[in-house]
Amino acid sequence: MEQAPASAITMPEKTPLTAAQALIQRVLPQHATSFICELIPDEGGMDAFEVDVRNNKIVLRGNNGISLAMAFNWYLRYNAMTSYDWQAIKPLEVKGPLPLPHEKTRHVCKAKERFFLNYCTYGYTFPYTDAAGWQRFLDWMAMNGVNRPLIHGGQEATWLRVWKSYGLTEKQILSFFTAPAHLPWHRMANIDKWGGPLPMAYIEGQQKIQEQILREARALGMKPILAGFAGHVPEALKTIRPDAKITSIHPWGGFKKYNTWFLDATDPLFNDIQKRFLNEQTAMYGTDHLYAADPFNEITPPSWEADYIAGVAQSISKGMQEADPQAVWYQMGWTFDFMPRWQEKNKDGKTPLDGMLSSLPSGKMVLLEYMGEERELYRKTDRFKNAPFIWNFLANFGGNTYQYAPLQKIAGSIASAMKVPNCTGVGSTLEGIAAYPVGFEYTLEAPWHADAAPDMKVWYDAYARRRAGSNDPAVVKGWNILINEVFNRYPVSYRDRSSVCTRRPVFDQKSFAQLPDTALGELPQVRNKEMMRSMVHALRSMLQATQESKNSDAFRYDVVNLLRQIIAYETDNTQPALLSAFKRGDKVEFDRQADKMLNLIRDLDRLVGTRHEFLTGAWIDKARTWGNTPEEKDYYEKNARQILTTWGAPGAGLTDYAKREWQGLLKDYYLPRWEEFISRLRSTIGTDKSFDSRAFTKWCIQHEGQWVERNGNGYPTVPQGDSVQIATDILNKYYPVQN
């Protein structure tokens, strides 16, 4: 097949200047006329921007729309002292005349590529995001310099056309797809059919959103990474092509009836599907010649032999090149780190990863270092055999709300990686955007500084000022305590990023080992008391802020989020005290610790309910808006509830993977488990009866399933209460000021 002609989406309707000006109008409408945008050349092929002043106007210069957006954000951060958050739901409000820059500043980016997103983000954050929400997030990415976004929505519309062209019926294809929030794992060839059939209206809606955001992204100068074909096919294809080499892949994550099917890379049909898909996708969405394809993610390939893996890689690449001679393949490194077998030598002395990396022409594959802050795979693989790679900060799994930002560690890792000749950039592969923004903002800003390493003290102080909206010493002090005494001093493993209040209660470590999500964690250790004191100290300092700072939306979010983490840590410290009192038979102390645990969770629910970022009701409401009938709305709501809690069937292996401390989830999903756990313990304390872990687990599974099956939302969709006042009251309740 010949390459399809590029669609109108490839050629943006806006110029870089008009795209940047439109972004400014959306983000800061009341002051949009205060800015002048101008184009300048790049510097040696690298993006550059300038912030200047002329005739009482703020002049933003850049070599493309992304550089202009970065210049705009730089001005907001370092001159206007304000933050545009990635979970923004309305434009910025800056009162009074905008301050003018004192002098011209110029920055050249040391990273050619700035990557953002993860397949999983489309399940944990974006399955029900509308066009307006996507536009706001696209603006945030542009303002943070992202030029390689992973834009993977809307691909089901393409696959629908492709599989129809092979003779499959629409019914067969829609049943092949999963429910919306589970599509990332369908796209990665982990599961088929779960929650299907996928509604046609959802596919059509996602197609429209994909068209819009691609047009806007390209106008700004982004080069979106779209999907490629890695061998995953519908089981029904066997009936159409009985001679094709299609084999079943071992079930992933315990989804035994929902396993996937793989077309052997040596089969001629493999190359044909790749070309047909890319041509159809290009006709629908245009192309920037960048494609993501990840064979065998977290699943065992038919063979571990290096030559076999090389053959798969060559087939994927060959089809890409025949459909698009400029094609570049982006492959996530998580695959090779998650399963150590990829790095083990076979009898011929080669590893499967050697086969993958040595089989392609130079520059035709870019590796994504997926969790650089935790484990740098490029150091263990001879710099990915000199293949281009992008260093990434992952930070969270499932969009969990844990605070994690080891900035000093991130800074050192980025500076080291950028010195490696084949490192082409930095980015983030976060699974969800419900997390603290500080680490992500630093990661994306770092390469715009000299040697990709800003002065950390200067950066911390500037971050604190823009969160407060002014140069408030109390806020600056609080942030320095938090970053230096907590984030930098106590970076924890990704296996320990949750609190006990979001886990099923357990009686002992042995019973914990029977929980479904042990692959991602152990029981949190008793939280370090010095760290806890530092967090409380940081918060108390922030609460001494001026009223002007307290009116800042970013400040109010930070106060809630910091106290949210403190209270979550307090549940970790309360659990062992509760169990210790039980084992001693101390009923008085048991009741005291039990009341404390339950009140901590209730107060946590009330606290996070003051912020839109932590509302279960808002999440469910977005899902229900995709339905046109009550039945459709209930379908989407169930899927939205499921991905946050049971993930799959109640009691399945990924239960509580997301672990989000959200209003509604805390009160109605997590709290009842602790109430039941404590009630069962109380009935046996001081008696000859033993705690029946199996019976309790059975009760939990039933409770979790019932919560998923509820419908009609019923949770607040807008924040309730004053964030700062409620945070102050809760802080004083558990950590009273000592006279």
Side-chain angles (χ1 to χ4, degrees), residues 382-448:
D382 191 20
R383 304 197 310 264
F384 290 119
K385 303 299 180 183
N386 293 318
F389 75 92
I390 299 173
W391 187 96
N392 285 283
F393 172 54
L394 195 154
N396 82 77
F397 291 83
N400 56 67
T401 47
Y402 189 93
Q403 282 191 29
Y404 177 74
L407 297 186
Q408 201 70 51
K409 186 177 181 182
I410 296 170
S413 296
I414 290 176
S416 296
M418 291 299 294
K419 293 176 183 177
V420 178
N422 54 308
C423 179
T424 64
V426 300
S428 175
T429 50
L430 73 174
E431 286 196 352
I433 69 166
Y436 227 39
V438 59
F440 305 98
E441 289 193 9
Y442 176 85
T443 297
L444 293 170
E445 186 181 313
W448 293 89

Side-chain angles (χ1 to χ4, degrees), residues 69 146 171 192 212 301 361 370 394 401 409 418 585 597 645 656 692 719 724:
V146 172
K171 182 179 180 180
D192 286 348
Q212 174 183 319
Y370 236 57
L394 195 154
T401 47
K409 186 177 181 182
M418 291 299 294
M597 175 64 82
T645 54
D656 291 341
D692 191 335
V724 174

Side-chain angles (χ1 to χ4, degrees), residues 3-249:
Q3 183 174 358
S7 73
I9 295 175
T10 302
M11 301 301 296
E13 297 173 356
K14 299 175 182 176
T15 67
L17 286 175
T18 58
Q21 289 163 345
L23 181 151
I24 294 170
Q25 178 66 42
R26 289 190 296 269
V27 173
L28 195 63
Q30 73 272 38
H31 294 291
T33 58
S34 299
F35 296 88
I36 298 172
C37 294
E38 299 176 348
L39 287 175
I40 57 174
D42 61 33
E43 185 169 315
M46 306 303 283
D47 288 345
F49 74 77
E50 296 174 355
V51 179
D52 202 353
V53 61
R54 184 175 68 235
N55 299 328
N56 290 320
K57 295 282 188 178
I58 301 149
V59 181
L60 309 174
R61 303 188 185 99
N63 63 295
N64 55 34
I66 294 298
S67 296
L68 286 166
M70 190 72 193
F72 173 55
N73 204 19
W74 201 275
Y75 167 80
L76 292 176
R77 289 175 175 179
Y78 291 98
N79 295 99
M81 289 187 286
T82 190
S83 284
Y84 184 68
D85 281 343
W86 56 4
Q87 297 189 79
I89 58 174
K90 59 183 180 180
L92 282 175
E93 293 182 4
V94 179
K95 296 180 180 179
L98 293 179
L100 296 175
H102 297 298
E103 58 184 0
K104 179 177 128 175
T105 59
R106 177 179 172 85
H107 293 268
V108 179
C109 192
K110 308 300 184 296
K112 195 169 188 66
E113 300 186 275
R114 286 89 66 189
F115 178 87
F116 210 73
L117 295 175
N118 179 320
Y119 298 113
C120 301
T121 326
Y122 286 82
Y124 292 127
T125 295
F126 295 127
Y128 297 111
T129 300
D130 61 14
W134 259 110
Q135 182 66 73
R136 287 191 294 270
F137 184 68
L138 191 71
D139 290 343
W140 181 91
M141 286 197 290
M143 291 167 64
N144 283 269
V146 172
N147 63 358
R148 297 291 188 274
L150 186 74
I151 305 297
H152 268 216
Q155 65 176 275
E156 282 65 42
T158 307
W159 281 117
L160 184 65
R161 297 185 185 186
V162 170
W163 297 131
K164 277 186 175 181
S165 74
Y166 283 105
L168 272 66
T169 67
E170 184 173 293
K171 182 179 180 180
Q172 287 174 315
I173 300 165
L174 296 182
S175 296
F176 168 58
F177 299 141
T178 63
H182 293 79
L183 283 173
W185 297 272
H186 172 75
R187 295 165 182 167
M188 290 187 288
N190 298 128
I191 54 175
D192 286 348
K193 304 179 181 180
W194 176 263
L198 184 64
M200 191 66 202
Y202 182 83
I203 294 175
E204 293 169 347
Q206 288 294 310
Q207 179 181 347
K208 291 178 181 178
I209 292 174
Q210 181 81 338
E211 291 171 352
Q212 174 183 319
I213 62 176
L214 285 173
R215 188 177 292 109
E216 294 289 338
R218 287 170 177 147
L220 286 163
M222 294 180 179
K223 292 187 179 297
I225 301 168
L226 303 184
F229 173 64
H232 178 210
V233 298
E235 181 183 5
L237 187 62
K238 294 190 300 179
T239 63
I240 304 295
R241 297 294 182 96
D243 296 332
K245 300 176 183 177
I246 299 173
T247 57
S248 173
I249 294 178

